[in-house]
Amino acid sequence: YRVAGCVGEFWTKLCRAQLFPRAPLDDARLLADGIRFGKGLQLVNILRDLPADLRKGRCYLPQNALAGAGLRPQDLLNAVRENQLRPLYNRYLDLAEEHLAAGWAYTNSLPWGCVRVRLACAWPVLIGVQTLDRLRIANPLDAARPIKLTRAEVRRVIWRSVVLYPFPALWRGQSPLP
């Protein structure tokens, strides 16, 4: 929460007060989803950047969770330890996906007329989901193969969302999240 959830809370309160103060929204749900949205984006970054962070002497996976898998942060510098890490890593991928689903719900609960805000929320969710898909199949410990979308793929996400925006059912369907 202190790193990313508070950002979701701040963003939600700011937008609510300045952009759509009178919109009939479930404020408690919006705030809860906003907090999870921020957590989801941060968790995607942590999982994606694991090899680079480890090489800088940082590990953001909890040591007690690693210990439960029989691992220490320094063990993760060896890409062959992926099989040992994978069950724990998959649980974090699932959690990130659940948080991004809350972010998608958040995005779709905003007033339809707030196009720029909705797009600004949709893009990181859609990019995050595609990143998680890649993290599920790649070795997350292989520093030689960073996992990220290309610029062309990011542009495709952006353009597709803009083109689909006028069509609510298609817009909502662009994400595989519930």
Side-chain angles (χ1 to χ4, degrees):
Y1 171 83
R2 288 176 280 174
V3 174
C6 63
V7 174
E9 181 177 2
F10 172 77
W11 171 265
T12 300
K13 288 180 177 179
L14 180 69
C15 288
R16 187 71 167 124
Q18 298 297 317
L19 300 177
F20 39 88
R22 291 181 194 83
L25 299 172
D26 179 346
D27 285 323
R29 180 85 232 154
L30 189 67
L31 193 59
D33 285 345
I35 290 168
R36 291 191 69 200
F37 186 5
K39 288 179 178 182
L41 295 176
Q42 187 63 43
L43 189 50
V44 169
N45 288 340
I46 287 168
L47 297 171
R48 183 198 62 212
D49 297 339
L50 183 61
D53 288 337
L54 290 166
R55 278 152 185 73
K56 294 175 186 171
R58 299 187 299 249
C59 181
Y60 297 109
L61 298 180
Q63 286 190 13
N64 61 343
L66 288 173
L71 293 165
R72 299 167 298 156
Q74 59 267 33
D75 296 332
L76 303 180
L77 290 166
N78 186 346
V80 300
R81 303 298 287 266
E82 183 212 358
N83 288 339
Q84 194 174 353
L85 173 66
R86 184 50 75 172
L88 174 64
Y89 193 79
N90 284 344
R91 285 195 299 271
Y92 283 117
L93 289 172
D94 292 344
L95 179 59
E97 188 172 278
E98 290 168 14
H99 286 323
L100 289 182
W104 188 241
Y106 176 94
T107 300
N108 284 295
S109 69
L110 299 176
W112 190 256
C114 294
V115 178
R116 290 183 296 174
V117 175
R118 287 174 59 102
L119 288 171
C121 291
W123 295 334
V125 171
L126 297 170
I127 291 166
V129 168
Q130 288 187 28
T131 302
L132 290 176
D133 290 344
R134 291 187 183 190
L135 292 171
R136 287 189 189 281
I137 58 174
N139 182 344
L141 300 179
D142 187 355
R145 294 192 171 127
I147 299 164
K148 61 186 282 185
L149 273 61
T150 66
R151 283 189 172 99
E153 290 168 321
V154 170
R155 279 193 296 273
R156 249 190 314 276
V157 166
I158 291 169
W159 282 110
R160 185 171 195 265
S161 65
V162 170
V163 168
L164 294 180
Y165 196 81
F167 310 100
L170 294 175
W171 161 266
R172 285 183 184 88
Q174 70 183 313
S175 171
L177 299 169

